[in-house]
Amino acid sequence: MSENNNPAEISVPSSSAKIPRALSHEALRIMVMEGTLSPEAYEAAVRFLGIRPGPSQWNGFWLRIFSSWGTLFFASGVICFFAYNWAQMHHFLKFALIASLILASGLVALWRGLDSLPGKLALLLASLCVGPLLAIYGQMYQSGADAWELFRAWTLVLLPLAFAGRQAALWLLVWLAGNAWGGFYLFSLPMSDNVFFRGVPELLLAQSLCLAGWEAAAHHWKGNMEHRWLTATWLPRLIGFVTLASLTAHLAFRIFEGHWPDYDSHLFLPTGVSCTALYTCLLLGGWLWYRKKRPDLFMLSCGLFSLAALLICGLIKGLVSTWDAGGLLLLGLAIAGLTAGCGLLLSRLHQAMEAEKAVHSEPLSSAPGFFATFRTRFSWDALWNYLREVHVLVGDSPHIPSKSTTPWYITVQLAIGGWVSAIFFICFLGTFLYMTLGIHFELEGPLFIGGMIFLAAARLLMQRASIFTEQFALALAIAGTVAVAAAFVVGTLSLRSAERLAPLVVALVIAAVYPFMRHGAYRYIAAVCGLLCFFGGLDFLIWHDMYVYAWRGAWPYSQELSQAMHVRQVLYVVWHSFLCVAMAYGWLTEQQWRTNARLSGLLAPVLHGMYCALLVSVVVSLGSMGSEFWMFEPVRSMVGIGAGIGLVYCAHMMTRTLAGASPMRLLFLGFAILALAGGWFLPGLSVGLLGLALGRYRGDTVTLGVTVAALIAYFFCYYYNLETSLLYKSVSLMGSGAVLCAAAFCLYMLTKQERAAVAGGDHA
Amino acid sequence: MRKILVAVSLVVFLAGFAWSVCTKEEQIKSGETLIVRLAPRDPRAFLLGDYMALNYAMNREVDTALSDRYTAGENFRSIRRGSEESLKLPRDGVAVVRLDANKVASFVRLDDGGSLGKDERCLYFRVRGFGAHIAASAFYFQEGAARDFDNAQYGELRVDADGKSLLVHLLDDKLARIQPQKVEAEERQ
């Protein structure tokens, strides 16, 4: 999801709005949508600011991606190789292999310097490989020792390396290993089968101290160039989010279950009191720190929504005892109102913080970021001067907008709030029809009418631009769509052998409602669900009988089936390459449709939804049905091939301006074709690279972050997937890791020559 | 300074690791052989690779003895989790076992500091989750070899002087070591 997919900006008048805001991609995007900046000027501005990468930024970006992914892929391959537990290989040989890998990468780190990119990656590889070494020790000497001892050893080795290494990724590893240590330790306590309730305050206190430690260090070394790595915000955000989420979940359980004598035992600290105290401290301390000392709206929004979640739990506990229609409706309304209230508060805060940022901006205090999507050293005036120089701006400097789009995390939180209240609205509708009106048979008619009433109410509410009406509209729209779709599904199920049409009917309902609901979050959710239902439904329609066989476990292994599989592969490759090429085409021509607000509102969520649907199908297919007919290996590979075709198209379009046979162009086309081939073995690889290419082209950090997170999830599912052997996984992962590192090396050598040429030219 | 820190921590870690490997190898070589009967439990997959979750017949006897000693005979497994009684339980302890001619161990008593009889040995156990574990609760093997271990009946341990054990092999009902490749070869014939 991205910052720009919500066309409904929230404009809140505030006293601070008069101060011009800081230069940002978001501001430029609003200006081009408002028409104060021409598309040509916007294009020139994003190129000037490095948001749209030029050749050197592309090279730098891919160099970082190829080398870091290469290292991580290689390390994952090493993990899979040793998890395979090759019986014929003597364990001393295993120890020697991995110990020498650790030593070798340690030496590379020392040789290339701990601050250089290869040095950092080599140190990361060494730290990662300590884990498999300890795992083989555990495999070999089965002493009954607890798993936490392994993670304790790993954490203790990682700590000095992280202190020396000064990189956020290493500290992430320390945090993960330390968490595994704590978690497994709690599991090992006698007679404790519930890690949620024993020792929780201790673990959460440790988490909070980690967060506080990071923030204190970042504050202490603020402005120190040597410690610029501490300005990375993603790690404290991750730790803060996880800590707050676990505390909230714990307190929510307590609200629902009241007093739990069984779980009130504790390690050192009394559980209930200390969790409540810790929660209060975190919220208050977090508010002071992230509002005053180091403004961070993400953290503030997490705190606020956590508070809202607890309040909602209290409400549910208090109201739901009756389970009547009125209570459910009230709950739905209360949840929508509460989340909207949070949204309003946060958007006011957002305005105020943007204005403060404009006044106290310190452009050089932060690291350029891994993806380097923005050059912070320019001011508005510098940008206007440049645009005048290249003749895309004539006359006065355009008016800088004071309003801002909703940040992605608030959109996500509001969307979740919308979903939750929609559930209560649907329950209300069901209870109302079933219990109050007593409709037991032929439910589809009343369900359809109820859903249409919801949809009409949502449509009316959407015409008023206020966050409250929008939030109610979102909840009603989701509930209405679900009710109408359910009415149609109930209708088709009652017809003879029409059940195979059910998913397609849902997709049709979503497509019919989509244009009428002018709400970014709604359209985004609808696009993802609609696309998945459409293609899944098409697949289900054609292969319905096979699904039924697979469902009953009676799978006909026959000639017929293998032919069916070939046809299915073709269907998959055609659909996914269509999806990827269409998405790439859409984003590459963005400047042409962005100026049309109506078209932009319709198209942007679909384009985001396409990528999200792609990620869902490639990640979920690994984790869920495994060897079922649904998505087995050769079919899944087709998703990777489709994404690879999209990549080749992207590489062709993005390097079109370069001369026909320029080495850069050939290199990037070569990379894309390699990724296409790699997509066969590892669909996640080509899908991920496509997301990165398009995300970087658009300068959209959110898409980039989502892609990286999805890739991590993909690897996790891949490891646990039983369909392919660990040995095969190890070979494909190490192979693609090596290819990626080789690609990084090629790029490095090529740009080295170019850099030298540029330097030489300067001298001449 | 930072480089020294990296070098020192890697070297110290690897040296400590090597030392630890040596002690375990020594235990395998010179530790006393002790065979314990398995209680059947399903083979499962994946964590450090594939493994088979193990339960030992003796675990139950240790549970009963612990119940007699610490919870006034109340069944060990029925104690409410996290209750006062459960907190009285020790986290680990030592059981005394007797070896027969085949070195198969049977439970005698919980160690009370008294001297050991002629065929008696110490065996260290841990109390985790739902009860006592007298040895490793998982046996790791090469992916795909799960079926070969289906007929495992005994576990072969190497025990040091303190009673700490290493699980080294799984044995069939005739006390013969199970070698996965051999099973495969026999099946092919």
Side-chain angles (χ1 to χ4, degrees):
Chain A
M1 191 169 295
S2 154
E3 283 158 74
N4 67 319
N5 73 349
N6 187 353
E9 295 95 24
I10 300 152
S11 180
V12 184
S14 78
S15 56
S16 53
K18 291 183 189 81
I19 306 161
R21 57 185 303 168
L23 175 57
S24 69
H25 189 190
E26 183 198 3
L28 289 173
R29 210 130 49 175
I30 294 173
M31 290 167 82
V32 77
M33 281 207 281
E34 282 180 341
T36 44
L37 199 66
S38 68
E40 296 76 34
Y42 170 79
E43 196 57 31
V46 289
R47 283 192 190 280
F48 176 64
L49 292 170
I51 295 166
R52 181 90 74 238
S56 68
Q57 280 124 349
W58 269 127
N59 292 341
F61 175 74
W62 287 121
L63 187 62
R64 279 190 300 278
I65 292 293
F66 287 162
S67 53
S68 57
W69 279 27
T71 312
L72 291 178
F73 274 53
F74 192 79
S76 318
V78 169
I79 289 173
C80 287
F81 180 78
F82 289 105
Y84 177 71
N85 201 349
W86 205 326
Q88 273 158 326
M89 186 186 274
H90 194 273
H91 57 278
F92 281 176
L93 181 59
K94 289 184 198 167
F95 288 149
L97 271 178
I98 192 146
S100 41
L101 185 60
I102 292 175
L103 272 181
S105 37
L107 283 176
V108 169
L110 296 182
W111 167 48
R112 299 305 304 261
L114 297 176
D115 292 321
S116 69
L117 185 64
K120 278 182 178 176
L121 291 171
L123 190 62
L124 192 63
L125 183 64
S127 316
L128 277 170
C129 286
V130 170
L133 180 60
L134 292 168
I136 317 169
Y137 182 85
Q139 280 172 351
M140 187 51 220
Y141 305 121
Q142 309 191 15
S143 63
D146 296 300
W148 61 265
E149 294 176 42
L150 187 154
F151 286 101
R152 180 182 60 185
W154 198 4
T155 314
L156 293 180
V157 180
L158 284 172
L159 263 175
L161 296 179
F163 271 113
R166 291 184 189 164
Q167 42 171 317
L170 268 177
W171 282 105
L172 171 71
L173 208 57
V174 173
W175 180 69
L176 289 175
N179 258 323
W181 170 13
F184 278 114
Y185 176 76
L186 291 174
F187 260 123
S188 79
L189 291 173
M191 306 305 281
S192 95
D193 58 347
N194 203 328
V195 78
F196 281 111
F197 296 97
R198 286 207 59 185
V200 159
E202 286 83 358
L203 195 60
L204 290 173
L205 186 65
Q207 299 266 27
S208 318
L209 289 177
C210 286
L211 179 63
W214 178 281
E215 290 294 352
H219 186 67
H220 182 76
W221 281 294
K222 199 174 171 184
N224 182 333
M225 293 302 273
E226 265 189 28
H227 289 279
R228 280 211 307 181
W229 61 280
L230 277 165
T231 54
T233 48
W234 60 269
L235 188 57
R237 281 181 175 189
L238 180 69
I239 299 176
F241 177 78
V242 170
T243 313
L244 201 61
S246 6
L247 259 174
T248 311
H250 180 86
L251 293 175
F253 273 120
R254 281 186 169 266
I255 288 174
F256 281 117
E257 293 298 321
H259 194 63
W260 250 332
D262 266 18
Y263 297 119
D264 269 348
S265 69
H266 49 264
L267 209 55
F268 301 110
L269 300 169
T271 317
V273 180
S274 11
C275 278
T276 319
L278 185 61
Y279 184 72
T280 322
C281 288
L282 260 184
L283 282 196
L284 287 177
W287 169 261
L288 289 176
W289 187 264
Y290 293 113
R291 180 71 192 90
K292 304 284 174 204
K293 276 284 183 189
R294 189 178 75 75
D296 187 353
L297 190 63
F298 176 84
M299 296 289 206
L300 297 180
S301 73
C302 286
L304 204 58
F305 274 94
S306 145
L307 213 55
L310 288 184
L311 213 60
I312 289 166
C313 288
L315 273 178
I316 295 176
K317 170 86 173 161
L319 280 176
V320 103
S321 50
T322 49
W323 278 113
D324 63 349
L328 289 168
L329 181 65
L330 206 63
L331 262 174
L333 291 173
I335 295 170
L338 251 173
T339 40
C342 288
L344 183 66
L345 257 173
L346 287 169
S347 59
R348 280 179 194 276
L349 270 173
H350 184 47
Q351 294 278 336
M353 284 160 89
E354 283 292 306
E356 283 163 24
K357 205 158 80 182
V359 178
H360 313 284
S361 66
E362 299 163 69
L364 279 176
S365 64
S366 63
F370 183 74
F371 299 122
T373 46
F374 193 64
R375 290 190 227 165
T376 43
R377 63 177 182 276
F378 297 106
S379 66
W380 283 109
D381 290 332
L383 177 66
W384 302 144
N385 288 337
Y386 168 77
L387 292 182
R388 285 198 187 93
E389 258 174 44
V390 293
H391 309 295
V392 286
L393 182 73
V394 273
D396 292 338
S397 307
H399 169 70
I400 298 159
S402 58
K403 70 176 176 183
S404 49
T405 47
T406 324
W408 65 271
Y409 39 88
I410 299 180
T411 310
V412 170
Q413 283 160 338
L414 285 175
I416 293 171
W419 263 110
V420 176
S421 34
I423 291 172
F424 283 95
F425 286 147
I426 293 166
C427 290
F428 157 73
L429 189 62
T431 326
F432 184 71
L433 294 177
Y434 189 77
M435 289 172 90
T436 314
L437 297 183
I439 300 167
H440 292 212
F441 304 102
E442 290 176 354
L443 200 63
E444 52 267 42
L447 209 53
F448 178 76
I449 295 169
M452 286 309 278
I453 294 173
F454 277 6
L455 287 177
R459 181 73 185 84
L460 280 176
L461 282 173
M462 274 173 198
Q463 284 172 341
R464 293 178 52 87
S466 123
I467 194 162
F468 278 95
T469 50
E470 277 187 7
Q471 187 65 5
F472 286 115
L474 171 66
L476 283 173
I478 295 173
T481 314
V482 172
V484 171
F488 275 105
V489 169
V490 172
T492 46
L493 288 185
S494 61
L495 296 174
R496 212 166 217 289
S497 71
E499 78 270 16
R500 58 178 72 193
L501 285 170
L504 278 180
V505 167
V506 175
L508 272 178
V509 169
I510 292 175
V513 176
Y514 184 88
F516 297 101
M517 298 296 147
R518 286 186 196 152
H519 192 288
Y522 174 84
R523 282 184 171 169
Y524 180 78
I525 298 169
V528 178
C529 297
L531 283 167
L532 286 172
C533 279
F534 174 71
F535 182 64
L538 207 63
D539 195 30
F540 186 64
L541 178 71
I542 303 173
W543 313 109
H544 173 264
D545 299 334
M546 300 285 181
Y547 273 100
V548 174
Y549 279 129
W551 188 254
R552 291 183 190 141
W555 186 343
Y557 282 102
S558 64
Q559 191 72 30
E560 221 173 294
L561 182 86
S562 85
Q563 275 171 2
M565 273 307 162
H566 290 314
V567 182
R568 204 158 165 248
Q569 274 176 300
V570 173
L571 178 73
Y572 266 75
V573 81
V574 168
W575 167 253
H576 285 102
S577 31
F578 163 74
L579 204 66
C580 296
V581 172
M583 180 173 68
Y585 179 76
W587 285 131
L588 292 175
T589 54
E590 189 181 359
Q591 67 276 27
Q592 289 164 23
W593 50 263
R594 266 297 175 196
T595 42
N596 183 339
R598 202 180 147 73
L599 189 63
S600 160
L602 283 172
L603 206 54
V606 175
L607 292 179
H608 281 297
M610 281 176 167
Y611 189 62
C612 194
L614 203 64
L615 284 181
V616 168
S617 57
V618 79
V619 175
V620 173
S621 66
L622 274 178
S624 57
M625 296 179 73
S627 58
E628 293 291 327
F629 172 81
W630 186 47
M631 261 280 217
F632 84 135
E633 189 68 37
V635 176
R636 196 165 43 229
S637 295
M638 292 302 123
V639 183
I641 297 284
I645 289 173
L647 263 176
V648 174
Y649 173 73
C650 277
H652 166 68
M653 295 301 282
M654 287 177 189
T655 56
R656 214 169 21 160
T657 47
L658 297 171
S662 99
M664 253 338 171
R665 177 157 209 234
L666 293 180
L667 190 70
F668 277 108
L669 280 173
F671 287 160
I673 290 167
L674 262 180
L676 172 76
W680 170 267
F681 299 100
L682 275 176
L685 175 71
S686 54
V687 172
L689 287 176
L690 180 66
L692 287 182
L694 288 173
R696 183 62 194 91
Y697 177 78
R698 302 179 45 242
D700 179 3
T701 327
V702 183
T703 302
L704 294 170
V706 167
T707 308
V708 171
L711 205 80
I712 292 168
Y714 173 80
F715 277 131
F716 207 69
C717 295
Y718 189 54
Y719 176 78
Y720 282 100
N721 180 272
L722 294 174
E723 217 174 301
T724 39
S725 153
L726 279 167
L727 204 57
Y728 173 85
K729 287 173 191 169
S730 137
V731 171
S732 62
L733 282 170
M734 281 205 262
S736 35
V739 170
L740 281 170
C741 286
F745 185 71
C746 284
L747 208 53
Y748 178 75
M749 293 314 283
L750 207 75
T751 50
K752 199 176 179 181
Q753 285 166 6
E754 260 184 21
R755 273 197 301 269
V758 169
D762 284 350
H763 280 297
Chain B
M1 185 59 206
R2 289 163 63 202
K3 287 187 175 183
I4 295 173
L5 188 56
V6 169
V8 168
S9 33
L10 284 182
V11 167
V12 167
F13 164 67
L14 288 176
F17 185 83
W19 176 79
S20 181
V21 167
C22 288
T23 54
K24 295 289 180 195
E25 286 297 323
E26 182 60 30
Q27 187 177 347
I28 289 179
K29 212 183 286 168
S30 57
E32 175 141 21
T33 302
L34 197 150
I35 293 170
V36 284
R37 192 171 175 84
L38 298 173
R41 208 165 156 187
D42 287 331
R44 298 210 200 127
F46 274 99
L47 191 73
L48 291 135
D50 282 9
Y51 70 96
M52 178 188 216
L54 296 180
N55 190 10
Y56 299 92
M58 207 189 290
N59 285 350
R60 256 209 125 87
E61 295 173 79
V62 176
D63 281 355
T64 316
L66 281 172
S67 307
D68 287 342
R69 181 179 289 186
Y70 292 98
T71 59
E74 193 186 341
N75 189 343
F76 189 85
R77 282 158 198 262
S78 69
I79 300 175
R80 210 174 57 196
R81 270 163 274 301
S83 65
E84 285 297 310
E85 291 96 324
S86 78
L87 293 177
K88 280 187 209 150
L89 291 166
R91 297 222 43 205
D92 39 24
V94 176
V96 174
V97 298
R98 180 173 294 126
L99 302 187
D100 68 6
N102 289 325
K103 302 225 164 200
V104 178
S106 54
F107 179 73
V108 180
R109 60 173 189 275
L110 292 182
D111 186 32
D112 46 12
S115 57
L116 296 177
K118 191 174 147 252
D119 291 330
E120 288 178 348
R121 300 286 183 277
C122 285
L123 186 58
Y124 182 88
F125 65 84
R126 295 156 205 263
V127 182
R128 296 286 181 273
F130 290 99
H133 297 273
I134 55 157
S137 54
F139 185 78
Y140 296 95
F141 47 74
Q142 181 178 321
E143 187 186 28
R147 235 155 32 87
D148 301 337
F149 291 98
D150 273 355
N151 54 349
Q153 294 287 326
Y154 294 92
E156 183 180 335
L157 308 181
R158 290 279 188 286
V159 182
D160 68 8
D162 299 334
K164 294 205 170 150
S165 64
L166 284 180
L167 175 64
V168 287
H169 290 288
L170 292 186
L171 313 179
D172 62 14
D173 51 352
K174 298 183 190 85
L175 296 182
R177 288 178 185 170
I178 299 174
Q179 307 282 7
Q181 294 85 6
K182 275 192 188 166
V183 178
E184 266 173 40
E186 278 163 22
E187 267 177 15
R188 254 181 259 126
Q189 286 168 7

